[in-house]
Amino acid sequence: MEKVAVLGGGSWATALVKILSENKSQVNWWMRNENDVQHLIKFKHNPRYLSQVSFDLTYVKPSTDIQAVVASADWVILAVPAAFVQLALADLQEDAFTSKVIISAIKGMIPKDNVLITDYVKHAYHVPGENLLVIAGPCHAEEVALEKQSYLTIGSHNLATAEHFCELLRNRYVKANPLDDLDGIEYCAVMKNIIALACGIARGQNFGDNFQAVLVSNAMFEIERFLDAIMPIHRALSGSAYLGDLLVTAYSQFSRNRTFGNMIGRGYTVKSAQIEMNMVAEGYYAVQSIYELNKKLKVSMPITTAVYHILYERISPAVEFEILKEKLK
C-alpha cells in the first residue's frame, strides 16, 4: 500500500484525499485545526470544504501532528496556500523530506521571496530535483468531488517518478499524464491565476464575452513571453497543463481568482473581498511576485501590470482597464 501525506485542509487537499483514498492508498492527512480533525474522525467528512465527500477512515488518517504525518509517508503532497507554506512547514526539520517525493499541488509562489514552491522546498529542505513533482491542469476541486471527468498533468524532471505518481491518481473520472516541463508548468499555473483575476475584474466592470476572449488570447502571448525569458525551452502552450488550466480558471464559476477579481471590479476593496470570500485567491499574491520578477526581465506584460496597479497601487479598475484596452490586439 502506497503511503501518502497530504498537507492542507482546503478544497483541493480534500479532493486529492478523495482520489488517493478511493484508489486504496494510505493517506495521512495533516490539518491545522484540531476541531476539523475530530469532526472528520467522527463524521467522516471535512466540515469546511467539499463536505459532501465522505471518507473511508480505513485509508484516511487525519492528524494535527505534521511531523508524524510526514515521517510515515513516501509521498508528501503540499496543498496549503502559497502564502502559508513556510508557516505550515515550520515545525519540520531540514531533513524531514529525506528520501521522500514531494509534490506541489499549490498554484502560487512564496510571497516576497518570489520563488516557486518546488524551488523553496528544494533549497530549504535539500530535496533533489528528481524528487520534486507538481500537479497541474484544469482541475477544480468541486468538479473532482462531483466525479466530473478531469485531466491532470504531473510535471517532473524525472518522468519515471511522475508516471508512478500518475498511477496513484488515475481512476474512472481522473486521467493523469507526466510531462518533463516542471518549471514551465509551475510558472504557468501561477500566471493563469493573475489572468483569471483580470477576467473577473473585466466582468465586474461589465465587459462582455468578446473582450474576455481577447483578454485571454493576449494572456497566452504574455505567458509565452515571460516563460521564454525566464526558462527558454520549447513547450506546446496549447496543452491542457497550460492553456487548459488558464481557460478553466478564467471562465469557471468555481474559480476563486475570477470571483475575487469580479468583486474588485465591482468596487470591493482587497480586504473586504478577502473577508467575504473566506478563501485564498492565489493570484493576489502571485501578481506581486511576477511583477517583481519582471522588473529584471522587462517583458511586455500589460495584463499583469494592470492587475498589479489595481490591487497594490489602488488605481481604479475603470482607469486601468481604459489603459489596458489600448494595449490589447
Side-chain angles (χ1 to χ4, degrees):
M1 186 182 295
E2 300 281 357
K3 295 180 180 179
V4 185
V6 176
L7 309 185
S11 56
W12 188 218
T14 305
L16 288 168
V17 173
K18 168 183 166 65
I19 295 168
L20 291 161
S21 62
E22 289 179 354
N23 282 351
K24 304 296 190 288
S25 289
Q26 179 65 59
V27 182
N28 298 316
W29 188 1
W30 176 79
M31 306 171 82
R32 180 175 293 279
N33 190 298
E34 177 65 33
N35 290 332
D36 291 350
V37 168
Q38 293 306 318
H39 184 102
L40 207 158
I41 292 171
K42 185 175 181 179
F43 298 107
K44 302 181 181 180
H45 67 83
N46 186 340
R48 296 175 185 266
Y49 301 97
L50 306 184
S51 56
Q52 74 273 30
V53 176
S54 181
F55 295 100
D56 182 347
L57 298 186
T58 303
Y59 299 100
V60 178
K61 305 297 181 186
S63 171
T64 57
D65 186 342
I66 192 170
Q67 294 176 346
V69 165
V70 169
S72 60
D74 302 310
W75 309 80
V76 180
I77 300 176
L78 308 179
V80 298
F84 307 121
V85 167
Q86 291 163 300
L87 178 62
L89 303 183
D91 291 336
L92 296 177
Q93 299 297 317
E94 287 187 9
D95 61 353
F97 294 149
T98 300
S99 301
K100 302 180 189 298
V101 177
I102 312 303
I103 305 102
S104 173
I106 305 166
K107 297 182 177 182
M109 301 180 73
I110 302 293
K112 297 182 180 179
D113 292 342
N114 306 329
V115 297
L116 297 172
I117 302 301
T118 55
D119 285 339
Y120 170 73
V121 171
K122 181 178 181 178
H123 295 298
Y125 294 92
H126 315 296
V127 179
E130 61 267 23
N131 284 358
L132 292 168
L133 310 179
V134 295
I135 302 177
C139 47
H140 281 310
E142 293 81 0
E143 290 203 351
V144 171
L146 294 169
E147 300 187 355
K148 300 288 187 182
Q149 188 67 56
S150 300
Y151 293 76
L152 302 178
T153 299
I154 307 304
S156 176
H157 298 306
N158 186 330
L159 288 179
T161 302
E163 173 58 28
H164 188 172
F165 187 67
C166 286
E167 292 173 3
L168 303 187
L169 298 171
R170 293 181 181 125
N171 61 25
R172 61 182 176 79
Y173 58 90
V174 174
K175 295 185 181 297
N177 293 291
L179 191 65
D180 61 0
D181 183 22
L182 181 145
D183 301 288
I185 289 173
E186 200 168 2
Y187 272 117
C188 190
V190 170
M191 295 187 68
K192 58 91 181 180
N193 285 329
I194 300 170
I195 306 308
L197 275 174
C199 289
I201 294 170
R203 286 292 177 181
Q205 289 284 300
N206 291 316
F207 286 91
D209 292 341
N210 294 342
F211 180 80
Q212 181 163 336
V214 172
L215 189 63
V216 171
S217 60
N218 275 260
M220 282 307 299
F221 289 114
E222 187 163 312
I223 291 171
E224 183 177 19
R225 288 193 296 268
F226 180 84
L227 291 180
D228 284 347
I230 204 163
M231 193 122 339
I233 66 168
H234 175 72
R235 49 176 66 90
L237 292 182
S238 58
S240 62
Y242 309 99
L243 178 59
D245 204 0
L246 171 62
L247 290 176
V248 77
T249 311
Y251 285 93
S252 174
Q253 62 177 321
F254 296 124
S255 170
R256 65 188 67 177
N257 288 282
R258 184 177 184 272
T259 300
F260 183 81
N262 186 282
M263 295 169 77
I264 298 298
R266 289 189 285 120
Y268 281 70
T269 65
V270 167
K271 192 67 175 177
S272 61
Q274 289 173 326
I275 291 171
E276 185 162 322
M277 279 186 65
N278 196 31
M279 297 176 81
V280 175
E282 291 280 16
Y284 171 70
Y285 300 100
V287 70
Q288 185 177 39
S289 292
I290 296 298
Y291 184 84
E292 291 296 326
L293 286 174
N294 196 44
K295 285 182 178 179
K296 295 181 180 180
L297 299 173
K298 301 187 183 305
V299 174
S300 173
M301 302 182 73
I303 301 172
T304 298
T305 300
V307 173
Y308 177 83
H309 285 167
I310 292 167
L311 296 183
Y312 287 90
E313 297 185 354
R314 300 183 180 181
I315 296 177
S316 161
V319 170
E320 196 62 39
F321 266 63
E322 281 300 311
I323 297 171
L324 179 61
K325 277 184 352 185
E326 301 305 314
K327 297 180 178 179
L328 303 179
K329 299 179 181 179

